[in-house]
Amino acid sequence: MNAPDHPGILNVKAEPQACGVAAPHEAAHLHVSGRALYVDDVPEPRGTLFVAPVLSKVAHGRLKSLDASAALAVPGVRRVVTATDLPAANVVGAGHDEPILPADLIEYLGQPVALVVATGAKAARVAARAVRMEVEPLPAILTIAEALAAESWVLPPVHLAEGDVEAAMAAAPHRLQGEFAMGGQEQFYLEGQVALAMPGEDGTMKVLSSTQHPGEVQHWVADALGVPAHSVQVECRRMGGGFGGKETQAGHIAVWAAVAARIAGAPCKMRLDRDDDFLITGKRHPFLGRWTVGFDGQGRILAIDLMQAAACGFSADLSGPIADRAIFHADNAYYLPAAAIHSYRCKTHTQSHTAFRGFGGPQGVGMIEAALDDIARHLGLDPLAVRRINLYGDAPRDRTPYGMQVTDNILPALIERLEADCGYAGRREAIARWNAASPVIKRGLALTPVKFGISFTATMFNQAGALVNVYTDGSVTVNHGGTEMGQGLHTKVCQVVADTLGVPLAWVRITATDTGRVPNASATAASSGTDLNGRAAEFAAREVRDRLRAHVAGTRGLDVAQVSIRGGKVLVPGAELDFVAVAKAAYAARVSLWSDGYYATPKIHYDHQTMRGLPFYYFAYGAAATEVAVDTLTGETRVLRVDILHDVGRSINPAIDLGQIEGGFVQAVGWLTSEELVWKPDGTLATHAPSTYKIPTSGDVPADFHVALWPEPNREDNVYGSKAVGEPPFMLGFAAFFAIREAVAAARREQGRTPLVPLSAPATPEAVLRAVEQ
Ligand code: MTE
Ligand code: HPA
Ligand code: MOS
């Protein structure tokens, strides 16, 4: 496939620099021509069987009996696997609290109870529907309110207090109580969850998995098969989107495929149909926030007492760190002099909710933004003025509730620039005039900031490894522990390696993520893929480069410092050598042309007991101004114009960063306006397909969409001076939501109602209508 794609890649005219260039995605030419291989596109080995799950039809109950006879009679069906057939311990999950297949207790509607293994995917699915189960129902807890009342938790509540909240609240000139709920969100990766498990010799298993975390899949599969980790190899070339939904959830599919493969003694593929994917796998956590906030006449927060409750579903999964991140982002960009935060991790009988872009951050941000919005309306002030006055500033207004000093705050300057560039003040006046003259269509404008903490909050995950191989023809492969899900990680890593080695970008090829090459890699998550793997790859490339430089220096009697490599040329005083010739010569002189690299984020630490420390290496910042129109008769909303100024540090790839910012924003607007998950009283997820669950499409991307990058490198020593970009822009979508609230407030004022807008998320047309009229 190489030749037609890259005619003579080694002769391509070299860009002097790869980093900072808007290079195309490393697989763009494959994506657009349908030739990029996803797990389901890889030709199946001869004799591959297909696995379909048998789903529970009750939310909570005891499994009394299971009758597979009708399923076994379906032509092509080989086996029906249940809990009693499993080769090793029946436990899985990030919290080690989930069964692979329940033996007795069923805990959500849609939980896979058995697996049908057949010669074809269709036969397996048809047969799965023929399996009969007798289940004794138990009472199910489905909502946060029910869980709070029953004190039903997946993990114990967590309380964080900073300052004397009671005294500061009592002394505050104004106090307000408020509430803000946020719905869940389906990740809706275009490529559904899929794994192909292939038994090898001597008890080994190779798994192709669409996963953000091959290392965890390796461990789960090894445990499920009762073999050491060295007997399981997990590979992922790319995902068709993950968005957090394949951080842990991919592991279940891989485990089901692998146990089926072990039991059937044949390769097994499991690919979830979209409806089953909706029903089985976890989503963004729905959250409820309730607060009492004390503030002064300018809207400056003096104290806040905040309750955060998350619907976690039936198991812990990542709910602990997700609810923690909601606490870490309860301040968003604002100084809270006295704060008490109470975090409840509610156990509900639904899918086990999991990572989704922002990882609890958006839910934390939503609450404080709603509180500031209420404060502004209560005092009759411009919400932007209230947001601005609460921003972090100089000491003592620079300490987060978890004791971290904010030292890199650029928001006051960034907001000022965005405000000027988007014409905020003039447009706000124009909108007021428009609203006065327009009885039905109301407009609103909001400007909201984000400050997002970069690093895994569990300090140990902030490490990465990479391998860089230089071949004797000068071509290069790089392999690292991170995974590609469309976010451009592999492209950025290739750019970093190209510049570090001093070769053209076209010479560098990335290879599939593979637990057999780089072990013990963290999930590609927390937006830190490039920070961690990019640095590890940089270190590996530096090692090889310096060996080449030392070799050349040695043969020419030069100092190493006199040898540099750039654009595929090795530069020495008075001469320019060909990189390929140098690589060949170094090989002949028995110099190793490959190296590993390892990186661990410096400085960070966090104590879970005291809830204090420096959990984040740095913050990524941004702000968005968004104007919307709301039809107050139908509740429909439309985003008219978006202006974003976002901080990616020194951009490794401006095209990719722009895509991340636009995509994150639009995905958040979907979460906050049109995507609504509805569970029926029996626990059925009613919205389990695009027919009933509305994600944004290209038609929902605002036509008037301006994105600019903040022109300053990361102040911390990070790869190329860049900042992480994957998740932070998601939080900018709140600008659209709060613009809708502005428009609704205009309608309410006209009708003589209180200007406080009783609108939670998602702001579906029904919810907007209720908010106008309530
Ligand atoms: N962008 C695309 N196109 N597809 C994805 O699945 N996932 C997001 C973000 N951007 C995602 C994406 C999430 S949840 C994270 S944590 C980061 O990418 C992960 O990749 P990174 O650490 O390399 O930024
Ligand atoms: N972000 C995303 N994924 C994670 C994290 C985090 O902070 N911690 C564990 N998995
Ligand atoms: Mo992203 S939610 O950290 O996978």
Side-chain angles (χ1 to χ4, degrees):
M1 224 190 255
N2 279 345
D5 290 342
H6 296 295
I9 57 162
L10 300 187
N11 300 319
V12 166
K13 190 171 165 294
E15 284 270 356
Q17 270 291 113
C19 289
V21 173
H25 191 284
E26 45 82 26
H29 59 297
L30 304 177
H31 294 157
V32 298
S33 59
R35 289 174 300 154
L37 295 182
Y38 297 84
V39 171
D40 202 32
D41 301 319
V42 174
E44 292 133 12
R46 197 170 345 128
T48 295
L49 301 175
F50 297 83
V51 183
V54 179
L55 307 188
S56 157
K57 292 194 169 59
V58 299
H60 190 199
R62 297 221 171 264
L63 180 62
K64 289 290 159 199
S65 66
L66 190 141
D67 174 7
S69 51
L72 287 166
V74 173
V77 170
R78 290 288 173 83
R79 275 199 128 82
V80 175
V81 175
T82 66
T84 53
D85 302 318
L86 297 173
N90 187 4
V91 56
V92 73
H96 299 285
D97 59 350
E98 301 176 42
I100 295 171
L101 297 168
D104 169 37
L105 191 63
I106 288 171
E107 297 209 89
Y108 71 101
L109 198 149
Q111 182 169 16
V113 177
L115 306 169
V116 176
V117 185
T119 50
K122 180 129 192 247
R125 288 184 54 202
V126 168
R129 279 159 181 68
V131 173
R132 296 283 156 255
M133 271 182 270
E134 201 188 326
V135 181
E136 180 189 314
L138 294 168
I141 291 175
L142 295 172
T143 65
I144 291 175
E146 289 163 9
L148 287 174
E151 301 195 0
S152 164
W153 321 129
V154 288
L155 291 164
V158 166
H159 302 277
L160 180 147
E162 173 73 13
D164 189 341
V165 177
E166 224 171 285
M169 194 73 80
H174 300 268
R175 268 181 299 280
L176 204 54
Q177 292 191 333
E179 184 176 303
F180 187 62
M182 283 152 280
Q185 186 178 22
E186 162 62 37
Q187 290 84 0
F188 220 116
Y189 23 69
L190 287 184
E191 176 210 27
Q193 303 267 4
V194 57
L196 171 62
M198 298 169 281
E201 65 176 23
D202 203 18
T204 59
M205 187 71 72
K206 178 166 181 182
V207 184
L208 304 188
S209 169
S210 179
T211 174
Q212 293 174 235
H213 200 173
E216 188 169 64
V217 173
Q218 177 196 20
H219 282 283
W220 287 14
V221 168
D223 290 348
L225 300 180
V227 299
H230 73 196
S231 299
V232 178
Q233 183 198 353
V234 179
E235 188 184 298
C236 176
R237 174 60 183 89
R238 62 174 61 81
M239 287 160 274
F243 302 110
K246 295 173 181 170
E247 185 172 341
T248 61
Q249 303 296 289
H252 294 92
I253 285 75
V255 163
W256 289 320
V259 297
R262 171 54 45 85
I263 291 165
C268 278
K269 182 191 274 192
M270 185 166 194
R271 196 200 71 197
L272 295 183
D273 158 69
R274 180 67 61 180
D275 293 75
D276 288 350
D277 205 324
F278 258 91
L279 291 173
I280 295 169
T281 64
K283 309 173 195 316
R284 183 187 296 287
H285 291 61
F287 262 70
L288 172 67
R290 268 196 203 122
W291 59 84
T292 305
V293 62
F295 49 98
D296 68 15
Q298 292 174 284
R300 194 183 280 108
I301 291 179
L302 303 171
I304 188 163
D305 190 300
L306 172 66
M307 191 274 308
Q308 301 184 327
C312 299
F314 81 103
S315 74
D317 187 74
L318 295 169
S319 296
I322 287 167
D324 286 351
R325 198 174 264 276
I327 297 175
F328 290 129
H329 290 81
D331 60 346
N332 188 18
Y334 311 108
Y335 175 57
L336 305 174
I341 303 169
H342 315 282
S343 168
Y344 297 97
R345 293 102 200 261
C346 300
K347 173 164 178 162
T348 48
H349 294 105
T350 68
Q351 302 79 359
S352 187
H353 296 315
T354 192
F356 193 147
R357 205 171 199 170
F359 203 77
Q363 294 95 323
V365 168
M367 294 173 196
I368 193 72
E369 291 297 342
L372 289 172
D373 205 55
D374 286 355
I375 290 171
R377 286 222 182 77
H378 178 81
L379 295 173
L381 298 172
D382 176 354
L384 178 57
V386 173
R387 291 192 164 100
R388 197 202 286 283
I389 203 170
N390 280 289
L391 290 175
Y392 279 103
D394 297 331
R397 297 183 58 84
D398 63 349
R399 261 179 76 87
T400 66
Y402 48 93
M404 177 168 166
Q405 207 191 345
V406 182
T407 57
D408 58 4
N409 186 18
I410 55 171
L411 274 177
L414 186 148
I415 289 175
E416 194 178 299
R417 205 178 113 184
L418 177 65
E419 191 183 347
D421 288 353
C422 80
Y424 180 86
R427 282 167 64 200
R428 205 172 138 82
E429 281 168 23
I431 287 169
R433 285 194 300 276
W434 161 281
N435 284 342
S438 170
V440 173
I441 307 291
K442 299 293 181 193
R443 290 190 177 189
L445 172 66
L447 193 160
T448 62
V450 63
K451 159 184 140 291
F452 196 76
I454 302 300
S455 289
F456 285 96
T457 57
T459 303
M460 80 174 162
F461 295 139
N462 297 287
Q463 56 175 314
L467 290 174
V468 168
N469 301 336
V470 174
Y471 296 90
T472 51
D473 68 350
S475 66
V476 180
T477 58
V478 52
N479 188 272
H480 60 85
T483 54
E484 176 63 39
M485 56 194 101
Q487 87 279 38
L489 167 63
H490 284 351
T491 310
K492 289 182 174 180
V493 171
C494 286
Q495 289 176 278
V496 168
V497 167
D499 280 358
T500 308
L501 278 175
V503 301
L505 181 58
W507 293 14
V508 183
R509 180 182 284 283
I510 197 110
T511 56
T513 314
D514 182 339
T515 56
R517 294 194 191 218
V518 173
N520 308 324
S522 298
T524 304
S527 303
S528 56
T530 304
D531 289 14
L532 299 174
N533 302 287
R535 254 285 147 89
E538 182 184 351
F539 290 171
R542 195 183 282 176
E543 182 68 32
V544 178
R545 178 199 65 194
D546 289 346
R547 282 189 215 138
L548 289 173
R549 290 170 65 215
H551 170 71
V552 171
T555 54
R556 300 190 157 236
L558 297 169
D559 197 81
V560 177
Q562 294 174 285
V563 184
S564 60
I565 312 180
R566 231 179 122 76
K569 301 284 176 214
V570 181
L571 312 175
V572 294
E576 208 181 74
L577 315 174
D578 178 45
F579 181 89
V580 179
V582 168
K584 278 194 191 354
Y587 166 77
R590 296 193 294 170
V591 173
S592 162
L593 296 184
W594 66 277
S595 177
D596 68 335
Y598 175 82
Y599 175 69
T601 311
K603 292 190 182 177
I604 50 174
H605 58 89
Y606 183 70
D607 181 338
H608 272 271
Q609 251 33 64
T610 62
M611 306 187 72
R612 295 294 186 280
L614 198 142
F616 305 119
Y617 188 38
Y618 62 88
F619 294 102
Y621 297 95
T626 301
E627 184 172 343
V628 302
V630 173
D631 184 328
T632 56
L633 289 182
T634 65
E636 285 166 286
T637 62
R638 194 181 180 90
V639 175
L640 300 176
R641 173 172 166 185
V642 182
D643 295 81
I644 289 174
L645 182 52
H646 195 78
D647 162 33
V648 300
R650 190 170 168 221
S651 177
I652 294 175
N653 188 320
I656 285 173
D657 288 346
L658 207 68
Q660 287 294 299
I661 295 165
E662 292 176 351
F665 180 88
V666 170
Q667 193 170 40
V669 173
W671 173 47
L672 293 168
T673 64
S674 74
E675 297 180 42
E676 188 173 29
L677 292 165
V678 178
W679 282 270
K680 294 190 206 167
D682 71 348
T684 309
L685 177 61
T687 49
H688 55 77
S691 53
T692 45
Y693 185 79
K694 168 79 177 74
I695 62 168
T697 62
S698 56
D700 297 301
V701 175
D704 207 359
F705 201 167
H706 311 270
V707 180
L709 302 179
W710 181 252
E712 190 191 335
N714 194 334
R715 295 186 193 173
E716 292 294 340
D717 176 20
N718 202 48
V719 61
Y720 188 68
S722 70
K723 283 194 178 184
V725 68
E727 293 166 291
F730 186 90
M731 265 64 52
L732 298 178
F734 279 112
F737 180 85
F738 288 102
I740 293 172
R741 272 205 182 192
E742 274 287 292
V744 172
R748 288 176 63 88
R749 270 192 293 268
E750 224 166 72
Q751 297 165 8
R753 302 181 210 273
T754 73
L756 286 188
V757 180
L759 177 64
S760 277
T764 58
E766 298 92 316
V768 169
L769 265 192
R770 277 195 301 271
V772 169
E773 286 167 8
Q774 191 168 304

